[in-house]
């Protein structure tokens, strides 16, 4: 089965990138159909209005926002690389960040599963096991979601415009994603769920130690 997949892997990769390109194009199409881009008089189409709005935007501001975004998510990439090194699956930081940034393209495909696939597939080129790639990626995503939800709760409590429903939803997400990342909890969950499917040696080193927790706080 694996040999057969290797044989067709170049075609699979072409299909994946085609899927990513289609998803990005679809997202752009959705943007063009937003109510905010519709001309009340019907004189201009959405693309023309979008280009007109972009002309009034400072290019330096766009570049700065893009740079800040790349640097910002880079901390999550650094945390993921650190998790791999922590569980004895070392990869270099430049290569790990490359895998992480490439995987961001997969987020445009519904389901978000392709982003995980792209990240792990790229990391396997430096001999990262599938199990290590999956568990570290899940832990990193949970940590990012938990810190984001925590920040949302804090800002919501400070803002008079935030409804109770919004704060409650953010608090619920904070609890659901925050409990698994507590030191010792994530390894326990993974070992309980994975003992029937994974070899015992792959369950010996799982992220979720006290060190991983504090490094996650640092990256957030």
């Amino acid at each position: 089965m694996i040999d057969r997949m290797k044989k067709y892997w170049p075609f699979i990769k072409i299909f994946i990138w085609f899927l990513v390109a289609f998803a990005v194009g679809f997202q752009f199409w959705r943007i063009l159909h937003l109510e905010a881009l519709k001309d009340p008089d019907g004189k201009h189409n959405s693309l023309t209005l979008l280009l007109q709005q972009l002309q009034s935007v400072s290019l330096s501001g766009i570049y700065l926002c893009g740079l800040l975004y790349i640097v910002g998510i880079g901390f999550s990439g650094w945390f993921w690389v650190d998790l791999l090194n922590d569980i004895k699956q070392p990869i270099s930081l430049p290569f790990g960040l490359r895998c992480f940034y490439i995987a961001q393209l997969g987020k445009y495909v519904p389901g978000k599963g392709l982003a995980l696939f792209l990240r792990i597939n790229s990391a396997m080129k430096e001999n990262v096991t599938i199990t290590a790639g999956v568990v570290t990626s899940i832990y990193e995503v949970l940590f990012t979601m938990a810190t984001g939800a925590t920040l949302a709760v804090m800002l919501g409590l400070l803002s008079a415009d935030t409804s109770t429903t919004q704060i409650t939803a953010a608090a619920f997400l904070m609890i659901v994603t925050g409990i698994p990342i507590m030191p010792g909890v994530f390894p326990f969950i993974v070992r309980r769920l994975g003992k029937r499917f994974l070899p015992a040696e792959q369950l010996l080193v799982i992220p979720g130690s006290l060190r991983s927790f504090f490094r996650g706080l640092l990256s957030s």
Side-chain angles (χ1 to χ4, degrees):
M1 180 67 179
I2 296 178
D3 293 336
R4 184 176 299 178
M5 285 189 63
K6 289 181 179 180
K7 179 180 178 181
Y8 294 105
W9 185 238
F11 301 100
I12 295 175
K13 288 198 292 186
I14 292 175
F15 172 75
I16 289 174
W17 287 115
F18 175 79
L19 187 62
V20 170
F22 174 80
V24 172
F26 177 72
Q27 293 293 340
F28 185 70
W29 177 84
R30 289 182 59 189
I31 292 174
L32 292 179
H33 286 76
L34 292 175
E35 288 293 331
L37 288 177
K38 290 185 177 180
D39 186 2
D41 300 327
K43 296 180 180 179
H44 304 286
N45 58 38
S46 299
L47 181 59
T48 302
L49 292 176
L50 179 61
L51 293 176
Q52 289 177 351
Q53 292 183 17
L54 289 177
Q55 289 176 356
S56 62
V57 177
S58 170
L59 285 178
S60 59
I62 294 177
Y63 293 144
L64 179 60
C65 290
L67 178 62
L68 291 175
Y69 175 77
I70 292 173
V71 173
I73 65 173
F75 285 102
S76 294
W78 167 79
F79 179 47
W80 175 61
V81 173
D82 185 70
L83 288 174
L84 286 172
N85 291 325
D86 197 31
I87 64 171
K88 314 304 179 186
Q89 294 280 316
I91 61 174
S92 64
L93 181 59
F95 180 79
L97 290 177
R98 175 178 174 270
C99 298
F100 184 81
Y101 284 124
I102 289 176
Q104 300 307 305
L105 294 174
K107 291 187 175 182
Y108 291 97
V109 179
K112 311 298 183 183
L114 186 58
L116 180 63
F117 173 81
L118 290 175
R119 188 195 303 197
I120 297 171
N121 177 67
S122 300
M124 288 173 62
K125 295 177 182 178
E126 282 205 3
N127 300 318
V128 173
T129 65
I130 295 178
T131 301
V134 170
V135 295
T136 53
S137 297
I138 292 176
Y139 188 81
E140 177 269 315
V141 170
L142 285 174
F143 215 107
T144 302
M145 293 177 64
T147 52
T150 303
L151 182 61
V153 171
M154 295 172 60
L155 294 178
L157 292 174
L158 295 175
S159 175
D161 297 329
T162 307
S163 66
T164 304
T165 302
Q166 292 173 322
I167 296 177
T168 303
F172 175 77
L173 181 61
M174 179 183 67
I175 294 172
V176 170
T177 57
I179 292 177
I181 66 173
M182 291 293 107
V185 177
F186 188 74
F188 173 78
I189 295 175
V190 172
R191 289 180 181 128
R192 291 284 293 182
L193 296 177
K195 64 181 181 180
R196 296 182 180 180
F197 311 102
L198 299 173
E201 60 271 14
Q202 294 189 17
L203 297 174
L204 294 177
V205 185
I206 302 294
S209 63
L210 187 62
R211 177 186 180 279
S212 299
F213 182 78
F214 282 110
R215 299 280 276 193
L217 291 178
L218 181 63
S219 69
S220 301

